[in-house]
Amino acid sequence: EGLAAAEKLASVYANWVPRENILTTNLWSSELSKLVANAFLAQRVSSINSISALCEATGADVSEISRAVGKDDRIGKRFLQASVGFGGSCFQKDILNLVYLCETYGLDECATYWNQVILMNNYQKKRFSEKMVAKMFNTATGKKIAILGYAFKKDTGDVRETPSMFVVRDLLQ
């Protein structure tokens, strides 16, 4: 019954989408595909942000590293720009769902791995805030600061879980 329903739905979509672009999977594969896609993108953001810290320590240029690594066809150039960190309503939520599932199934090392992506993102936001304060002679007190680009990505007004929110919080403390 489930396979027949999936095939019927796929045939409806086939009126607009080429058949080879329509995927049918079991329930768990469908759920995990969405979580994993967002987790992989967040992982890329956290990876380049961790490299940005190393670049600052060594004098390397993270944008040069990003450009060089992005030339590798196996990796590609997308999501390789160092930033304050990832935000929005999906990446962290989906990674935390992966962490929960891994823990539920006794895959503690896997849970720790994915949780580290969240920890790296939090580290990057804190590191950014600390760098801002350091550039202001170690205090934000009495300073007027403008936050430009408050949303978590360009061309959106969505500010859910935006890294800017955490930077502002840190500056006010």
Side-chain angles (χ1 to χ4, degrees):
E1 183 175 298
L3 293 176
E7 185 51 44
K8 190 150 198 98
L9 186 57
S11 68
V12 169
Y13 278 102
N15 290 309
W16 302 279
V17 178
R19 183 68 184 170
E20 62 272 10
N21 292 344
I22 299 173
L23 303 176
T24 55
T25 68
N26 68 37
L27 180 64
W28 272 109
S29 295
S30 176
E31 287 292 324
L32 287 175
S33 294
K34 193 263 188 206
L35 297 178
V36 170
N38 280 338
F40 274 33
L41 294 175
Q43 179 189 45
R44 285 178 68 100
V45 172
S46 286
S47 293
I48 197 64
N49 284 341
S50 74
I51 297 305
S52 74
L54 181 59
C55 287
E56 288 173 19
T58 62
D61 183 336
V62 70
S63 48
E64 290 177 357
I65 304 295
S66 176
R67 191 172 70 246
V69 169
K71 294 283 186 190
D72 187 325
D73 290 338
R74 298 168 300 168
I75 298 169
K77 63 183 182 180
R78 295 190 50 148
F79 288 85
L80 285 180
Q81 302 305 312
S83 66
V84 180
F86 60 78
S89 63
C90 292
F91 284 5
Q92 182 163 315
K93 170 187 60 72
D94 288 349
I95 290 173
L96 291 173
N97 278 329
L98 276 180
V99 169
Y100 171 79
L101 289 169
C102 290
E103 289 172 346
T104 298
Y105 288 96
L107 304 169
D108 295 334
E109 291 82 1
C110 298
T112 299
Y113 174 84
W114 287 110
N115 195 55
Q116 188 60 42
V117 174
I118 300 289
L119 295 176
M120 180 56 61
N121 194 53
N122 292 341
Y123 166 75
Q124 181 72 356
K125 291 182 285 193
K126 187 73 173 166
R127 194 170 78 82
F128 186 86
S129 300
E130 289 170 355
K131 276 182 72 173
M132 283 184 69
V133 172
K135 296 283 185 186
M136 295 183 287
F137 305 105
N138 294 320
T139 183
T141 304
K143 309 274 188 339
K144 291 184 180 180
I145 302 168
I147 304 295
L148 306 176
Y150 190 79
F152 76 93
K153 67 179 181 180
K154 69 179 186 174
D155 299 326
T156 184
D158 191 345
V159 296
R160 291 175 291 175
E161 295 298 317
T162 181
S164 301
M165 170 188 338
F166 300 99
V167 170
V168 168
R169 178 203 60 202
D170 290 349
L171 293 173
L172 291 173
Q173 291 178 347

